[in-house]
């Protein structure tokens, strides 16, 4: 995942080139989308059926890459979430700002009773 949102692109340019303070979020959350969120966060995020963004932690980067340091397990779906095609990383559990986004390697249909899980080391953010 290396697709920056417009929000993060502007924040990093301002922080590194314009001496404008950017405060990193204390916690970041993985979000699921049924359409491409785009850099402007205009996609369709999953909603309903007990869906909630899920906190994620990352290890120290090496050569511009970091991966999740623990499993990211979403709540059990109590209704269909549709076909998840993309994921994002947000700076808040609701609302907030999209930071990164990317398509899944393989889309996944989530039905009632399913649990969407990203195992440790399988969500990477790469800056190159």
């Amino acid at each position: 995942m290396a697709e920056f949102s417009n929000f993060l692109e502007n924040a990093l340019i301002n922080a590194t080139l314009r001496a404008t303070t950017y405060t990193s979020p204390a916690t970041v959350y993985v979000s699921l989308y049924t359409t491409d969120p785009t850099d402007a966060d205009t996609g369709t995020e999953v909603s309903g059926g007990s869906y909630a963004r899920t906190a994620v932690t990352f290890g120290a980067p090496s050569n511009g890459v970091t991966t999740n340091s623990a499993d990211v397990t979403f709540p059990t779906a109590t209704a269909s979430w549709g076909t998840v095609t993309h994921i994002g990383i947000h700076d808040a559990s609701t609302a907030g700002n999209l930071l990164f986004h990317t398509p899944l390697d393989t889309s996944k249909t989530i039905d009632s009773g399913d649990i969407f899980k990203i195992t440790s080391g399988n969500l990477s953010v790469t800056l190159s």
Side-chain angles (χ1 to χ4, degrees):
M1 174 184 301
E3 295 89 350
F4 284 78
S5 69
N6 292 339
F7 168 81
L8 187 58
E9 290 168 348
N10 291 335
L12 293 177
I13 287 170
N14 282 330
T16 57
L17 301 177
R18 300 184 67 236
T20 303
T21 301
Y22 170 70
T23 302
S24 299
T27 305
V28 292
Y29 300 85
V30 177
S31 52
L32 305 178
Y33 287 83
T34 58
T35 64
D36 184 356
T38 75
D39 290 353
D41 196 12
T42 57
T44 304
E45 185 173 357
V46 171
S47 64
S50 297
Y51 168 78
R53 294 177 186 169
T54 302
V56 60
T57 57
F58 288 92
S62 176
N63 297 317
V65 180
T66 184
T67 60
N68 59 313
S69 56
D71 291 351
V72 179
T73 304
F74 285 80
T76 302
T78 59
S80 174
W81 291 356
T83 300
V84 175
T85 60
H86 292 74
I87 61 173
I89 297 176
H90 278 81
D91 62 5
S93 61
T94 60
N97 300 293
L98 178 67
L99 303 175
F100 301 96
H101 62 94
T102 196
L104 293 176
D105 291 338
T106 304
S107 297
K108 176 72 176 154
T109 300
I110 306 297
D111 292 316
S112 184
D114 290 345
I115 298 172
F116 189 91
K117 179 178 181 178
I118 304 169
T119 55
S120 180
N122 282 300
L123 175 58
S124 62
V125 176
T126 303
L127 303 183
S128 58

